Amino acid sequence: MNSFKKIDIYYIITFLFLLLSANSNILSASDICWFSILALMLIVAISKKQLTIKNIRTIGLFSIIYLVLVVIRDFVVNDLGTEFLLSDGFFLVKYIFLTFIYCTILKEKAAYYLVRVMVHLTILSFFFFFCQLIGLNDYIYRFSMALNLKSDNTIPGYTNFIIFTFTKGLHDYRNSGFVWEPGSFGCFLTIALLLNFFLNKFKIDKKAIIFIIGIITTLSTTDYLALLIVLFLVYRIKVPKFSWVSVLIVLVAAAIIIIVPLLGEKIADSYYEDMDDLNRLKYLEIFYRHKHMQIPLNRFSSMVYIFDTFNWHLILGETNKYNVILNRVYSINISNGIFDFLAKFGLVGFAYLLYHYAKFCLATVLKWEYVFYCVVALLIIGFGEPLFFLPIVLMFIFLPTKQLIPETLRKPRGKAS
């Protein structure tokens, strides 16, 4: 009985919350598992008396406004059927309610536990990634396949065992961690790194080093760019007076982006390849149909294809189930998180999410310049991967803004640093 009392329920809930956000395993792929975890969180919230009348009013008002907007959008503006409205309603229950309950339980402890669990998951990923590097890919793949755990990922060679994912032949030398692919894992690490800096007064501590190494092992261009922004944020907070050194750092960073092949050259090549893909969709449809796959459009081509398809509908969004409409001509797999969210909830929903994220960051960094860097980092990782609709990002809507403010930043907002 005593050992049971020592169980850290916040750690367990955060661990499950991250696994659902990962969108890569049997927990996130099974509605039964998803709603079982939601029920567990609800029981914890009630047992700890954290689900107050005020909280119920907050989520109730949010739900009413959300449902009114999607009804107007789906039926009046976009003239869609009932199935699309049901999908939008299901998103509210499945994703938003889960995120709200998690934030209700953890409150200001959320950042601490997210960082703590992410550190442990990242260390675990290092072990399996090391196994990949020394040639044990086949063993990892066979072990995962033997477990035969369900997931929504249909890419050939993809497999997972909940705390680690692997795509044979595609990510042999990249670290996917517990998320569906390396770039996405880097996105989670970037958010965790930022939260860790919020908690530790922007120090490069052991946890920060673990997250930075984790980002490096993903070999993801967008995550590297986001990392540069986050590190520049740390520098600006440590050296608030803008000087020629700051300008030099910006110039050096720009030169690195241009010179390093994995950054500037890869971005340019990706753009031209993406535009070429848009001009040969018929050929790609035939090619990937034989492989029983959707056409995997990259970041830029995903952006252009969504914009061309929905155009002004992106103001309010098309629908959470927009892929049904998008795939009427070609079967497309989107990889741009910003335009994925715009198609789901429009510019209105996107602005609402960014407002709450910026508000959360401002409570810690106190200056709008620093908030700007936080927003840019989020936009960069979001441009690379469809993660804005996941609980790991939606949580910023409900997280309390009364965070621990680093002593070095306790200055009036109106005065210069």
Side-chain angles (χ1 to χ4, degrees):
M1 181 66 71
N2 291 332
S3 59
F4 179 75
K5 289 182 179 179
K6 292 180 181 178
I7 294 176
D8 192 340
I9 191 65
Y10 293 144
Y11 185 97
I12 295 172
I13 287 176
T14 301
F15 178 70
L16 294 173
F17 178 78
L18 284 171
L19 290 181
L20 291 181
S21 295
N23 203 27
S24 61
N25 52 63
I26 189 171
L27 299 183
S28 59
S30 167
D31 287 339
I32 294 176
C33 292
W34 190 292
F35 285 105
S36 295
I37 294 171
L38 177 57
L40 170 65
M41 289 185 181
L42 191 58
I43 291 170
V44 171
I46 294 172
S47 65
K48 289 182 173 291
K49 297 181 181 180
Q50 293 169 318
L51 197 60
T52 63
I53 297 297
K54 183 180 178 181
N55 288 334
I56 294 173
R57 285 175 181 169
T58 299
I59 192 61
L61 180 62
F62 180 95
S63 302
I64 291 171
I65 295 173
Y66 172 90
L67 290 173
V68 168
L69 285 176
V70 297
V71 166
I72 293 173
R73 181 191 70 181
D74 290 0
F75 285 166
V76 180
V77 179
N78 296 334
D79 192 25
L80 299 174
T82 307
E83 64 171 303
F84 296 99
L85 179 62
L86 290 175
S87 176
D88 287 330
F90 188 69
F91 183 90
L92 172 68
V93 176
K94 184 176 179 179
Y95 287 88
I96 296 178
F97 281 7
L98 174 99
T99 307
F100 171 77
I101 294 298
Y102 174 76
C103 294
T104 298
I105 296 172
L106 273 293
K107 295 185 176 68
E108 63 279 350
K109 296 175 184 160
Y112 166 78
Y113 275 95
L114 284 165
V115 169
R116 184 181 170 192
V117 177
M118 276 294 299
V119 164
H120 297 159
L121 287 170
T122 304
I123 293 172
L124 277 174
S125 79
F126 290 159
F127 170 75
F128 294 111
F129 180 59
F130 176 74
C131 291
Q132 287 179 218
L133 295 181
I134 62 175
L136 299 179
N137 305 26
D138 286 339
Y139 292 98
I140 296 174
Y141 182 73
R142 289 172 189 169
F143 173 72
S144 299
M145 290 299 290
L147 294 176
N148 195 29
L149 297 177
K150 176 186 176 184
S151 80
D152 290 328
N153 197 320
T154 58
I155 296 176
Y158 174 84
T159 185
N160 80 94
F161 44 96
I162 302 181
I163 58 171
F164 192 75
T165 72
F166 179 66
T167 305
K168 186 177 181 181
L170 186 62
H171 300 142
D172 289 347
Y173 303 103
R174 300 176 64 190
N175 186 3
S176 297
F178 67 101
V179 194
W180 68 89
E181 67 102 31
S184 306
F185 182 43
C187 294
F188 277 60
L189 289 169
T190 301
I191 293 173
L193 177 63
L194 199 57
L195 290 176
N196 184 57
F197 282 139
F198 285 179
L199 292 170
N200 74 358
K201 303 177 184 178
F202 297 88
K203 297 175 183 176
I204 307 292
D205 59 5
K206 291 180 181 179
K207 293 177 182 177
I209 292 172
I210 289 171
F211 291 142
I212 291 171
I213 294 173
I215 292 172
I216 292 172
T217 61
T218 65
L219 297 180
S220 168
T221 303
T222 50
D223 293 327
Y224 285 5
L225 290 176
L227 176 60
L228 287 176
I229 297 296
V230 172
L231 292 179
F232 184 69
L233 165 66
V234 174
Y235 167 77
R236 287 292 296 127
I237 288 175
K238 293 297 184 182
V239 188
K241 188 175 181 180
F242 210 84
S243 63
W244 65 269
V245 177
S246 302
V247 176
L248 181 62
I249 290 174
V250 172
L251 293 175
V252 170
I256 290 173
I257 293 172
I258 295 171
I259 296 171
V260 176
L262 188 60
L263 296 175
E265 186 178 321
K266 184 180 176 182
I267 293 172
D269 289 344
S270 294
Y271 173 79
Y272 290 116
E273 288 175 8
D274 285 5
M275 295 305 102
D276 185 52
D277 285 344
L278 291 175
N279 294 324
R280 58 192 186 108
L281 287 175
K282 269 188 181 179
Y283 167 77
L284 292 174
E285 172 74 12
I286 296 170
F287 177 80
Y288 284 105
R289 191 189 304 143
H290 285 303
K291 291 179 173 287
H292 305 288
M293 291 174 59
Q294 292 180 308
I295 302 172
L297 290 186
N298 213 330
R299 284 71 167 138
F300 296 104
S301 51
S302 293
M303 173 183 70
V304 174
Y305 194 77
I306 288 178
F307 182 80
D308 287 346
T309 302
F310 300 118
N311 211 287
W312 64 270
H313 286 258
L314 295 179
I315 296 175
L316 288 177
E318 185 68 18
T319 171
N320 168 61
K321 204 175 179 180
Y322 76 90
N323 60 303
V324 173
I325 300 169
L326 192 73
N327 294 342
R328 283 174 180 171
V329 180
Y330 301 108
S331 184
I332 301 292
N333 182 275
I334 296 299
S335 63
N336 186 306
I338 294 176
F339 277 79
D340 169 74
F341 196 84
L342 289 176
K344 280 182 166 73
F345 302 109
L347 188 60
V348 173
F350 190 59
Y352 181 77
L353 177 62
L354 286 185
Y355 163 75
H356 280 280
Y357 171 71
K359 186 179 177 182
F360 174 84
C361 295
L362 183 63
T364 299
V365 299
L366 297 181
K367 289 183 65 175
W368 283 108
E369 179 200 343
Y370 304 152
V371 172
F372 172 76
Y373 301 137
C374 295
V375 172
V376 170
L378 185 69
L379 291 177
I380 288 174
I381 61 176
F383 186 83
E385 299 294 338
L387 78 156
F388 281 112
F389 75 96
L390 295 173
I392 187 69
V393 177
L394 291 177
M395 69 179 182
F396 291 109
I397 296 176
F398 302 110
L399 282 177
T401 54
K402 293 181 181 179
Q403 297 296 309
L404 293 175
I405 301 174
E407 295 293 335
T408 55
L409 299 178
R410 289 185 181 275
K411 297 177 182 178
R413 294 185 191 178
K415 295 183 180 181
S417 300

